[in-house]
Amino acid sequence: MIVLISIVKLKRSLQELPKLFWTYFISYLIVILLPLIALSYASYNFTVSTLENELSQATIYASKQKNASIENTIAEIQSIAIRIGLDGRITSFLNDSTNPFLLNETRDILKTAASANEAIQSIDFYAKEANLIIASDGYTRTYTNSTQDIWIDEDLGENDMGFWLSSRHGNGIDLDKIVTYVVKVPVQRNGFQGLLAVHIHESVLRSLLQKMEGNPHTITYIMDRLGNVISTSAAVSLKPEHVQALFKESSKAPASIGYRILKQDGDRNLITYIKTLHNQWSIVTETPLQYLLSKLSYIRTVAWAAFIILVALGLILSYFISRKMISPIQLLIKKALPYNKSGNEAKDTLRPQKNELEAISHILDHVFRKNEAWEQQFHMNLPVLRERFLLALINHKYSSIHEMNGKLEFLHLQFPYPQHVVFLIEIDDYSLIVGSYSVTDQNLYKYAMMNIAEEIATGSHIALAAEADENQLALLVNIGGDSKHMKHELAALGEQIKNVIYQLLKISVTIGIGRPYPQLLDAHYSYKEACEVIRSKIMVGTNTVLTYEDLIKEADDEFYLPPHFTNHMYNFLKAGQLNEALGSLEELYQQIKARTKLSEEVIFRTYNLIVEDILRNMQEFNVQTETIFGKNHNLFRELASKETIHAIHEWICGMVQKIYHTLEQQQPKKNTHIETVIAYMDANYDQDLSVEMIAEQVNLNHAYVSRMFKQEVGKTMLEYLTLKRLEVSKVFLKETEQTILEIATNVGYNNVNSFIRFFKRYEGLTPGDYRKTIR
């Protein structure tokens, strides 16, 4: 009875409520229930999505570790192959494949390399010209296009360094699958003379994957660029169509690292991929998500219970809220409408968004992936950025320590030692390398040289290298220790770098070393000093290590080419006296070489003047340069390419010899009377000779002899006699201790003042000054 009365009272109370209450009540109830339903559904999906994301990130992280381990294994195998290819004994065998000693040497090299790594099954070397295959397991056979030698038939492009072959069964004895890396031999030559194949056990890769497999439900595949499976952590056989589906799914993604959800036969699998291996392999993992969903059944039960409780609470809450006619939830929804609208219009690159929470999750994932990609890109570009930093530093691009320290922190660089010094490594005879190698090979050599220098220097110091110019590399060395022994330590370091570069690459370099500076911001001073030191190799020579303290002194710009030097030399050539012309060049070379303080500009200016005078004399005598040197021949460019004073001297002597032989072919046969006159003057230059006295020696009229001599020799008899006396007097001044008066008498001058005036007119300085200069 009491219950009935209560029900009647409740019914009356509800009937007394206004319609506006029911409107708000129903509205609030819907507002509460729908979010509860959406919240329950979204919570479950958000949990699944979060777990999938977490699982994908963990799988990607594990794949990166596998990627690093596989990359190290690949790099080590390639390094072994390249070291074998660089071995000079392999090259010797290619040049003499019939030599049994070289054959044994080659076999020993392969055996030693094969035993250096347990992953290697065997190493085969194919000598193309001899048609022989030398194996590390101790036998040699003739290439017969057999199945086990399929690596020889593979197409290796002209510019390819090497390639990988997918896993396959071995030679019939070894049941394990093998993977083969093939490389050209020798790698430092343009000619293709042989192939080297390093066969590795696929089981090593499989064991490595199985050891690093953290999730027992995950299967990892190593695939090549065609989708062939190199190795896998799976213990069961693989279905080809399933593997192809995995490969196609991973190939769809443009990014090199990521994950996708593959739906196949009603199952959902998480597929992660990493395509950063430098040999174009990729690592693909497959994780079924069914076991993940089965573990969420408890969460579903809890969610339903919470939903029922929340619905009941929603009814009560809707009643009280409706009673007060205030709805904070409705107000929040109104405020969120613009954001929800813009969020719905935004495009999601991964998959459609179901609610705002999922959109936020996707936005955060997108931000994290972007940040990870930027960080990876930064690490990939870090060597280039460090090279740019070094170039900016040595070229004085940083104006403050604060700016420089910001760059150091950004590039993760530290220079803890107190002194900073710059090495400048210049490639000797770079023009020969440019003419012999392609641009790609040139850059490879410079990259190898930079790595060698940086690796040697970082053995006991901190170092950073960069390409400073087309034929120059800059090496910044941060060094500590005793300043008294620092000079010798730097010189020894330079010698070691120079020798190793020559041993490995057969390239001669000259290294200039600036002075150490305590402030890194002052490194540009050390670089400028190293540049000045490098210029000194024109006097010192190539393949040397030069330091600033030893070679850079006060420059000497006071050197002048003796007057009429080139005219005298050309007259010697016209007279058929090649040795005298070359002797003049040798004397000039010795004078310049004795002046160790002469700058590079003065030396090149002197020889440029000689070339200009020679070309002018050739034009006066109607001798065409194209006849001697050919078309499009630039003597000044050739001169500028010479790096040492010795090279310049050898080059200009060769040029003079070419001119001599051309003049000799163009000139008619010499008059025997003129030869008698020349011989008489050469023997009696110290006498008081006249034209009449000389003409008597050939029993001809003196006027006729004078005219014939001028036509044959290109100068008068008295001019020839004067130049002869000049040359002899220079020899006396250089090689004897005779006085000026004695020398004047010995060369046919009765008046010493006349001798001094004549000498100064031709040489530009007095005999005494000339003697001081050459000594």
Side-chain angles (χ1 to χ4, degrees):
M1 191 67 176
I2 297 175
V3 174
L4 182 60
I5 294 174
S6 299
I7 293 174
V8 172
K9 289 182 178 180
L10 179 60
K11 183 178 181 181
R12 287 180 180 177
S13 299
L14 295 176
Q15 289 177 348
E16 292 176 355
L17 293 174
K19 293 182 179 180
L20 183 63
F21 167 82
W22 293 111
T23 302
Y24 277 102
F25 178 79
I26 294 174
S27 300
Y28 289 136
L29 186 62
I30 292 175
V31 168
I32 291 175
L33 288 182
L34 288 180
L36 285 175
I37 295 173
L39 179 63
S40 300
Y41 180 77
S43 298
Y44 179 75
N45 283 279
F46 178 72
T47 302
V48 173
S49 175
T50 303
L51 290 176
E52 287 179 358
N53 290 336
E54 292 295 330
L55 180 61
S56 65
Q57 296 300 325
T59 307
I60 288 176
Y61 178 76
S63 297
K64 287 181 180 179
Q65 293 180 324
K66 301 170 187 174
N67 182 81
S69 299
I70 299 299
E71 182 75 18
N72 290 336
T73 302
I74 293 173
E76 184 175 354
I77 297 302
Q78 291 178 327
S79 175
I80 291 173
I82 292 174
R83 286 200 300 270
I84 296 174
L86 289 173
D87 197 310
R89 294 172 291 180
I90 297 291
T91 304
S92 299
F93 173 73
L94 287 175
N95 294 329
D96 187 8
S97 58
T98 60
N99 190 324
F101 175 76
L102 295 177
L103 176 63
N104 291 332
E105 282 282 324
T106 302
R107 187 180 294 114
D108 291 341
I109 292 170
L110 300 182
K111 286 181 179 179
T112 302
S115 61
N117 192 306
E118 62 181 4
I120 297 177
Q121 182 214 36
S122 63
I123 300 177
D124 292 342
F125 170 60
Y126 172 56
K128 184 176 182 180
E129 294 182 0
N131 199 33
L132 288 178
I133 299 176
I134 304 173
S136 62
D137 51 12
Y139 64 90
T140 302
R141 65 183 186 276
T142 302
Y143 171 58
T144 58
N145 200 20
S146 61
T147 304
Q148 63 177 331
D149 299 326
I150 190 175
W151 53 273
I152 298 177
D153 299 329
E154 291 292 325
D155 183 21
L156 184 61
E158 182 179 353
N159 296 324
D160 294 338
M161 293 296 295
F163 62 89
W164 287 86
L165 289 178
S166 301
S167 57
R168 63 194 191 284
H169 287 291
N171 54 16
I173 301 175
D174 189 357
L175 298 179
D176 186 18
K177 289 186 177 181
I178 61 173
V179 183
T180 301
Y181 175 65
V182 186
V183 67
K184 294 179 183 178
V185 176
V187 296
Q188 71 269 28
R189 290 192 176 182
N190 288 330
F192 181 76
Q193 296 186 2
L195 290 175
L196 185 76
V198 181
H199 307 292
I200 64 174
H201 295 285
E202 185 270 338
S203 60
V204 174
L205 300 178
R206 182 172 64 252
S207 176
L208 183 62
L209 294 178
Q210 292 174 347
K211 288 180 181 178
M212 301 184 69
E213 206 69 84
N215 191 337
H217 301 277
T218 299
I219 299 176
T220 302
Y221 306 88
I222 302 177
M223 297 183 176
D224 63 12
R225 58 184 178 182
L226 300 178
N228 298 316
V229 176
I230 306 297
S231 184
T232 178
S233 61
V236 297
S237 59
L238 306 175
K239 296 181 179 179
E241 58 275 9
H242 180 67
V243 174
Q244 284 300 315
L246 296 179
F247 178 72
K248 290 180 180 178
E249 191 69 23
S250 63
S251 300
K252 293 179 182 178
S256 59
I257 299 177
Y259 71 92
R260 302 177 71 86
I261 303 298
L262 175 63
K263 296 181 179 179
Q264 195 176 36
D265 299 332
D267 296 329
R268 298 172 72 248
N269 295 329
L270 174 65
I271 307 300
T272 63
Y273 55 88
I274 295 182
K275 299 180 282 188
T276 60
L277 288 170
H278 73 271
N279 63 343
Q280 299 184 339
W281 288 357
S282 58
I283 294 181
V284 180
T285 65
E286 177 188 15
T287 305
L289 296 178
Q290 187 61 36
Y291 88 96
L292 184 65
L293 298 178
S294 63
K295 291 185 178 181
L296 295 177
S297 59
Y298 175 76
I299 296 178
R300 284 199 301 270
T301 302
V302 173
W304 275 110
F307 173 74
I308 295 173
I309 294 173
L310 289 175
V311 168
L313 291 176
L315 291 171
I316 298 172
L317 185 61
S318 298
Y319 174 78
F320 285 105
I321 292 177
S322 299
R323 293 279 299 198
K324 295 182 179 181
M325 302 178 64
I326 298 174
S327 178
I329 296 178
Q330 186 179 19
L331 181 61
L332 290 175
I333 291 177
K334 290 180 179 180
K335 290 183 177 180
L337 281 177
Y339 299 99
N340 292 335
K341 184 178 180 181
S342 62
N344 292 331
E345 293 176 352
K347 294 182 179 179
D348 189 0
T349 57
L350 294 179
R351 54 184 173 178
Q353 302 173 4
K354 298 178 180 179
N355 53 63
E356 291 77 3
L357 292 176
E358 190 175 3
I360 295 173
S361 175
H362 290 166
I363 291 172
L364 291 176
D365 288 341
H366 180 70
V367 172
F368 292 151
R369 288 194 298 271
K370 276 287 187 183
N371 184 65
E372 184 177 330
W374 289 339
E375 185 174 349
Q376 183 180 4
Q377 188 69 25
F378 169 75
H379 286 292
M380 292 177 62
N381 295 330
L382 189 59
V384 177
L385 296 176
R386 287 180 173 178
E387 285 189 38
R388 291 180 180 176
F389 165 76
L390 177 56
L391 293 177
L393 180 67
I394 63 178
N395 288 289
H396 198 30
K397 299 297 184 181
Y398 298 113
S399 57
S400 65
I401 297 179
H402 178 73
E403 179 185 9
M404 183 189 66
N405 289 338
K407 283 289 185 180
L408 291 174
E409 183 178 358
F410 173 72
L411 298 173
H412 307 299
L413 288 174
Q414 292 183 352
F415 296 100
Y417 299 122
Q419 299 292 332
H420 309 82
V421 62
V422 174
F423 287 57
L424 191 61
I425 306 171
E426 182 171 280
I427 303 174
D428 298 330
D429 298 322
Y430 184 69
S431 59
L432 299 178
I433 296 178
V434 171
S436 303
Y437 297 97
S438 64
V439 176
T440 301
D441 290 337
Q442 295 172 33
N443 290 329
L444 287 174
Y445 275 119
K446 287 188 280 190
Y447 180 73
M449 291 170 56
M450 193 159 54
N451 284 343
I452 290 172
E454 193 169 332
E455 183 176 350
I456 292 175
T458 52
S460 55
H461 314 295
I462 304 296
L464 185 62
E467 183 177 354
D469 202 352
E470 186 180 10
N471 66 329
Q472 291 181 342
L473 304 175
L475 178 68
L476 174 66
V477 179
N478 180 222
I479 188 172
D482 188 3
S483 58
K484 296 181 180 180
H485 302 90
M486 188 172 296
K487 172 185 172 183
H488 300 289
E489 185 177 352
L490 293 174
L493 178 60
E495 288 288 346
Q496 185 181 3
I497 294 173
K498 174 179 70 72
N499 294 334
V500 172
I501 289 176
Y502 185 78
Q503 290 173 3
L504 297 181
L505 305 178
K506 302 304 179 186
I507 294 178
S508 171
V509 298
T510 298
I511 300 179
I513 307 175
R515 288 182 296 181
Y517 285 86
Q519 296 294 333
L520 180 60
L521 200 62
D522 295 334
H524 65 280
Y525 293 121
S526 182
Y527 172 69
K528 290 180 180 178
E529 291 167 356
C531 292
E532 293 179 22
V533 171
I534 281 292
R535 293 183 179 180
S536 300
K537 82 173 185 178
I538 191 171
M539 297 296 293
V540 179
T542 58
N543 194 30
T544 56
V545 176
L546 313 173
T547 60
Y548 186 83
E549 291 85 352
D550 291 338
L551 294 179
I552 297 301
K553 303 174 183 177
E554 183 180 357
D556 185 0
D557 296 328
E558 298 298 328
F559 182 84
Y560 300 97
L561 187 67
H564 312 295
F565 173 84
T566 310
N567 291 337
H568 295 167
M569 185 178 60
Y570 201 80
N571 287 333
F572 282 137
L573 294 178
K574 290 289 291 183
Q577 297 175 317
L578 177 61
N579 292 333
E580 285 76 0
L582 296 178
S584 300
L585 289 173
E586 177 67 24
E587 183 178 353
L588 178 66
Y589 167 63
Q590 294 299 335
Q591 291 180 19
I592 294 177
K593 192 175 181 182
R595 301 279 291 277
T596 58
K597 297 182 182 180
L598 281 180
S599 65
E600 181 183 23
E601 291 79 6
V602 172
I603 295 173
F604 276 104
R605 183 181 64 200
T606 301
Y607 281 97
N608 269 310
L609 289 175
I610 295 175
V611 174
E612 289 176 1
D613 290 342
I614 288 176
L615 293 177
R616 183 168 53 252
N617 282 325
M618 290 173 62
Q619 292 176 358
E620 291 177 0
F621 287 96
N622 296 322
V623 179
Q624 300 297 325
T625 57
E626 293 183 358
T627 305
I628 304 175
F629 306 108
K631 293 183 178 180
N632 301 323
H633 206 84
N634 193 322
L635 296 177
F636 296 100
R637 185 182 302 166
E638 278 197 15
L639 175 60
S641 67
K642 305 306 174 185
E643 298 181 350
T644 64
I645 181 64
H646 177 73
I648 293 174
H649 175 67
E650 293 291 330
W651 172 79
I652 202 165
C653 286
M655 184 183 70
V656 168
Q657 289 176 353
K658 288 182 180 180
I659 296 173
Y660 168 77
H661 293 306
T662 302
L663 294 176
E664 188 178 37
Q665 293 174 1
Q666 292 181 352
Q667 289 180 351
K669 188 174 181 180
K670 290 185 178 180
N671 192 315
T672 56
H673 296 303
I674 301 304
E675 293 180 351
T676 304
V677 171
I678 291 174
Y680 178 77
M681 286 192 292
D682 288 345
N684 299 279
Y685 63 84
D686 56 342
Q687 304 298 321
D688 187 10
L689 300 177
S690 64
V691 177
E692 290 77 7
M693 293 173 59
I694 297 172
E696 290 179 1
Q697 300 301 315
V698 292
N699 298 319
L700 293 174
N701 181 270
H702 69 277
Y704 174 76
V705 172
S706 296
R707 185 171 62 256
M708 293 296 296
F709 192 91
K710 177 69 173 178
Q711 291 177 356
E712 290 285 338
V713 180
K715 51 183 172 286
T716 66
M717 289 189 289
L718 292 181
E719 287 175 343
Y720 178 85
L721 182 61
T722 299
L723 292 176
K724 181 64 178 180
R725 290 172 173 172
L726 174 65
E727 295 302 320
V728 174
S729 64
K730 288 165 65 176
V731 173
F732 285 151
L733 289 169
K734 181 178 180 180
E735 299 180 357
T736 70
E737 299 297 332
Q738 295 180 11
T739 64
I740 305 301
L741 176 60
E742 292 173 340
I743 294 174
T745 303
N746 290 337
V747 296
Y749 281 88
N750 297 326
N751 190 322
V752 68
N753 293 326
S754 298
F755 169 69
I756 294 174
R757 284 195 301 273
F758 133 80
F759 193 94
K760 187 174 183 180
R761 183 171 70 252
Y762 281 91
E763 291 296 324
L765 67 169
T766 64
D769 292 338
Y770 176 81
R771 173 174 276 176
K772 292 178 182 179
T773 301
I774 62 177
R775 294 190 178 183

